mmCIF file with all atom_site columns, all heavy atoms in Angstrom:
data_model
loop_
_atom_site.group_PDB
_atom_site.id
_atom_site.type_symbol
_atom_site.label_atom_id
_atom_site.label_alt_id
_atom_site.label_comp_id
_atom_site.label_asym_id
_atom_site.label_entity_id
_atom_site.label_seq_id
_atom_site.pdbx_PDB_ins_code
_atom_site.Cartn_x
_atom_site.Cartn_y
_atom_site.Cartn_z
_atom_site.occupancy
_atom_site.B_iso_or_equiv
_atom_site.pdbx_formal_charge
_atom_site.auth_seq_id
_atom_site.auth_comp_id
_atom_site.auth_asym_id
_atom_site.auth_atom_id
_atom_site.pdbx_PDB_model_num
ATOM 1  N N   . ASP A 1 250 ? 65.185 -24.187 33.957 1.00 92.00 ? 987 ASP A N   1
ATOM 2  C CA  . ASP A 1 250 ? 66.499 -23.572 33.725 1.00 92.00 ? 987 ASP A CA  1
ATOM 3  C C   . ASP A 1 250 ? 66.617 -22.198 34.372 1.00 92.00 ? 987 ASP A C   1
ATOM 4  O O   . ASP A 1 250 ? 67.608 -21.477 34.124 1.00 92.00 ? 987 ASP A O   1
ATOM 5  C CB  . ASP A 1 250 ? 66.771 -23.442 32.219 1.00 92.00 ? 987 ASP A CB  1
ATOM 6  C CG  . ASP A 1 250 ? 66.936 -24.813 31.547 1.00 92.00 ? 987 ASP A CG  1
ATOM 7  O OD1 . ASP A 1 250 ? 67.283 -25.775 32.263 1.00 92.00 ? 987 ASP A OD1 1
ATOM 8  O OD2 . ASP A 1 250 ? 66.713 -24.913 30.329 1.00 92.00 ? 987 ASP A OD2 1
ATOM 9  N N   . THR A 1 251 ? 65.608 -21.803 35.181 1.00 95.00 ? 988 THR A N   1
ATOM 10 C CA  . THR A 1 251 ? 65.661 -20.488 35.825 1.00 95.00 ? 988 THR A CA  1
ATOM 11 C C   . THR A 1 251 ? 66.902 -20.372 36.711 1.00 95.00 ? 988 THR A C   1
ATOM 12 O O   . THR A 1 251 ? 67.164 -21.235 37.562 1.00 95.00 ? 988 THR A O   1
ATOM 13 C CB  . THR A 1 251 ? 64.396 -20.263 36.679 1.00 95.00 ? 988 THR A CB  1
ATOM 14 O OG1 . THR A 1 251 ? 63.242 -20.350 35.836 1.00 95.00 ? 988 THR A OG1 1
ATOM 15 C CG2 . THR A 1 251 ? 64.427 -18.907 37.348 1.00 95.00 ? 988 THR A CG2 1
ATOM 16 N N   . PHE A 1 252 ? 67.636 -19.286 36.528 1.00 97.00 ? 989 PHE A N   1
ATOM 17 C CA  . PHE A 1 252 ? 68.869 -19.062 37.285 1.00 97.00 ? 989 PHE A CA  1
ATOM 18 C C   . PHE A 1 252 ? 68.538 -18.269 38.553 1.00 97.00 ? 989 PHE A C   1
ATOM 19 O O   . PHE A 1 252 ? 68.136 -17.114 38.495 1.00 97.00 ? 989 PHE A O   1
ATOM 20 C CB  . PHE A 1 252 ? 69.866 -18.288 36.420 1.00 97.00 ? 989 PHE A CB  1
ATOM 21 C CG  . PHE A 1 252 ? 71.208 -18.085 37.069 1.00 97.00 ? 989 PHE A CG  1
ATOM 22 C CD1 . PHE A 1 252 ? 72.110 -19.133 37.197 1.00 97.00 ? 989 PHE A CD1 1
ATOM 23 C CD2 . PHE A 1 252 ? 71.576 -16.825 37.565 1.00 97.00 ? 989 PHE A CD2 1
ATOM 24 C CE1 . PHE A 1 252 ? 73.350 -18.942 37.798 1.00 97.00 ? 989 PHE A CE1 1
ATOM 25 C CE2 . PHE A 1 252 ? 72.813 -16.637 38.157 1.00 97.00 ? 989 PHE A CE2 1
ATOM 26 C CZ  . PHE A 1 252 ? 73.694 -17.698 38.281 1.00 97.00 ? 989 PHE A CZ  1
ATOM 27 N N   . TRP A 1 253 ? 68.694 -18.909 39.711 1.00 96.00 ? 990 TRP A N   1
ATOM 28 C CA  . TRP A 1 253 ? 68.447 -18.237 40.982 1.00 96.00 ? 990 TRP A CA  1
ATOM 29 C C   . TRP A 1 253 ? 69.165 -18.960 42.113 1.00 96.00 ? 990 TRP A C   1
ATOM 30 O O   . TRP A 1 253 ? 70.001 -19.834 41.858 1.00 96.00 ? 990 TRP A O   1
ATOM 31 C CB  . TRP A 1 253 ? 66.950 -18.089 41.262 1.00 96.00 ? 990 TRP A CB  1
ATOM 32 C CG  . TRP A 1 253 ? 66.163 -19.389 41.410 1.00 96.00 ? 990 TRP A CG  1
ATOM 33 C CD1 . TRP A 1 253 ? 66.648 -20.654 41.556 1.00 96.00 ? 990 TRP A CD1 1
ATOM 34 C CD2 . TRP A 1 253 ? 64.746 -19.498 41.457 1.00 96.00 ? 990 TRP A CD2 1
ATOM 35 N NE1 . TRP A 1 253 ? 65.630 -21.564 41.667 1.00 96.00 ? 990 TRP A NE1 1
ATOM 36 C CE2 . TRP A 1 253 ? 64.438 -20.879 41.617 1.00 96.00 ? 990 TRP A CE2 1
ATOM 37 C CE3 . TRP A 1 253 ? 63.703 -18.612 41.369 1.00 96.00 ? 990 TRP A CE3 1
ATOM 38 C CZ2 . TRP A 1 253 ? 63.126 -21.354 41.696 1.00 96.00 ? 990 TRP A CZ2 1
ATOM 39 C CZ3 . TRP A 1 253 ? 62.392 -19.082 41.445 1.00 96.00 ? 990 TRP A CZ3 1
ATOM 40 C CH2 . TRP A 1 253 ? 62.110 -20.442 41.601 1.00 96.00 ? 990 TRP A CH2 1
ATOM 41 N N   . ASN A 1 254 ? 68.841 -18.603 43.344 1.00 96.00 ? 991 ASN A N   1
ATOM 42 C CA  . ASN A 1 254 ? 69.520 -19.178 44.501 1.00 96.00 ? 991 ASN A CA  1
ATOM 43 C C   . ASN A 1 254 ? 69.088 -20.622 44.719 1.00 96.00 ? 991 ASN A C   1
ATOM 44 O O   . ASN A 1 254 ? 67.893 -20.919 44.789 1.00 96.00 ? 991 ASN A O   1
ATOM 45 C CB  . ASN A 1 254 ? 69.206 -18.355 45.745 1.00 96.00 ? 991 ASN A CB  1
ATOM 46 C CG  . ASN A 1 254 ? 69.915 -18.893 46.982 1.00 96.00 ? 991 ASN A CG  1
ATOM 47 O OD1 . ASN A 1 254 ? 69.306 -19.558 47.808 1.00 96.00 ? 991 ASN A OD1 1
ATOM 48 N ND2 . ASN A 1 254 ? 71.209 -18.625 47.096 1.00 96.00 ? 991 ASN A ND2 1
ATOM 49 N N   . VAL A 1 255 ? 70.074 -21.528 44.808 1.00 94.00 ? 992 VAL A N   1
ATOM 50 C CA  . VAL A 1 255 ? 69.803 -22.952 45.007 1.00 94.00 ? 992 VAL A CA  1
ATOM 51 C C   . VAL A 1 255 ? 70.600 -23.423 46.227 1.00 94.00 ? 992 VAL A C   1
ATOM 52 O O   . VAL A 1 255 ? 71.797 -23.740 46.107 1.00 94.00 ? 992 VAL A O   1
ATOM 53 C CB  . VAL A 1 255 ? 70.185 -23.777 43.755 1.00 94.00 ? 992 VAL A CB  1
ATOM 54 C CG1 . VAL A 1 255 ? 69.912 -25.253 44.009 1.00 94.00 ? 992 VAL A CG1 1
ATOM 55 C CG2 . VAL A 1 255 ? 69.446 -23.293 42.535 1.00 94.00 ? 992 VAL A CG2 1
#
Side-chain angles (χ1 to χ4, degrees):
D987 293 336
T988 301
F989 184 74
W990 63 13
N991 181 258
V992 179

